[in-house]
Amino acid sequence: MTGSRPDADEYFLSIAAKAAERSTCARRAVGCVLVDCYGDVLATGYNGVASGLPHCIDTPCPGAREKSGEGLHLCEAIHAEQNALVQCRSIREIHTVYTTSSPCIHCMRLLLGTSVKRIVFSEEYPHAESKRLAAGAGIEWVHRPPG
């Protein structure tokens, strides 16, 4: 950081962290920001159940008590990356994905179908396969811990 001005990664990770505050998942709050090559925000997302369903923070879903990275099939939440992709006007404009947690294997597979070049995250998620897939696709994998 130069002076008090955050660099681009810090700035967009802070937006992802703010988006995570909207999460309705009882297990984990995650936020995501999709950015184009010019540094313009294309979409944001956070994890939570689909519209019309009870929020997991109010009525825990079957996956709410599973360990992080496990029991994803029991979780009713739509992941932050998935929500951001649904809101994105063009998945062919995505350059960088900023997320508070590295993508799970399911989200990574979806991101591989976009034009993403970089994934920047603040916390490592326990799906090592995502990192392997990113490397195989030539996607830069950047861990920027908070602080």
Side-chain angles (χ1 to χ4, degrees):
M1 180 168 17
T2 305
S4 62
R5 186 173 191 251
D7 67 26
D9 287 351
E10 291 170 318
Y11 172 69
F12 289 118
L13 282 173
S14 72
I15 294 172
K18 197 64 172 171
E21 292 178 15
R22 293 282 301 154
S23 172
T24 61
C25 179
R27 179 160 59 167
R28 180 180 206 119
V30 179
C32 178
V33 180
L34 306 178
V35 177
D36 69 12
C37 65
Y38 302 105
D40 293 329
V41 173
L42 298 171
T44 63
Y46 54 87
N47 59 332
V49 297
S51 296
L53 293 176
H55 294 307
C56 191
I57 54 175
D58 300 326
T59 307
C61 75
R65 288 172 182 67
E66 295 289 322
K67 287 174 50 178
S68 184
E70 297 179 11
L72 295 181
H73 65 287
L74 298 173
C75 181
E76 295 176 2
I78 299 169
H79 290 187
E81 299 91 335
Q82 295 166 345
N83 268 323
L85 285 169
V86 167
Q87 301 300 320
C88 188
R89 69 180 178 259
S90 174
I91 62 168
R92 297 288 173 226
E93 294 179 20
I94 299 168
H95 183 272
T96 305
V97 174
Y98 291 94
T99 183
T100 56
S101 179
S102 60
C104 74
I105 189 66
H106 305 293
C107 289
M108 190 65 226
R109 288 181 189 138
L110 290 173
L111 292 169
L112 288 173
T114 73
S115 59
V116 66
K117 304 287 186 266
R118 297 178 75 226
I119 296 175
V120 182
F121 57 93
S122 50
E123 181 184 329
E124 189 84 45
Y125 192 72
H127 280 183
E129 288 299 304
S130 295
K131 182 177 182 179
R132 183 187 63 77
L133 287 176
I139 298 170
E140 185 181 358
W141 188 262
V142 182
H143 184 198
R144 293 283 302 260

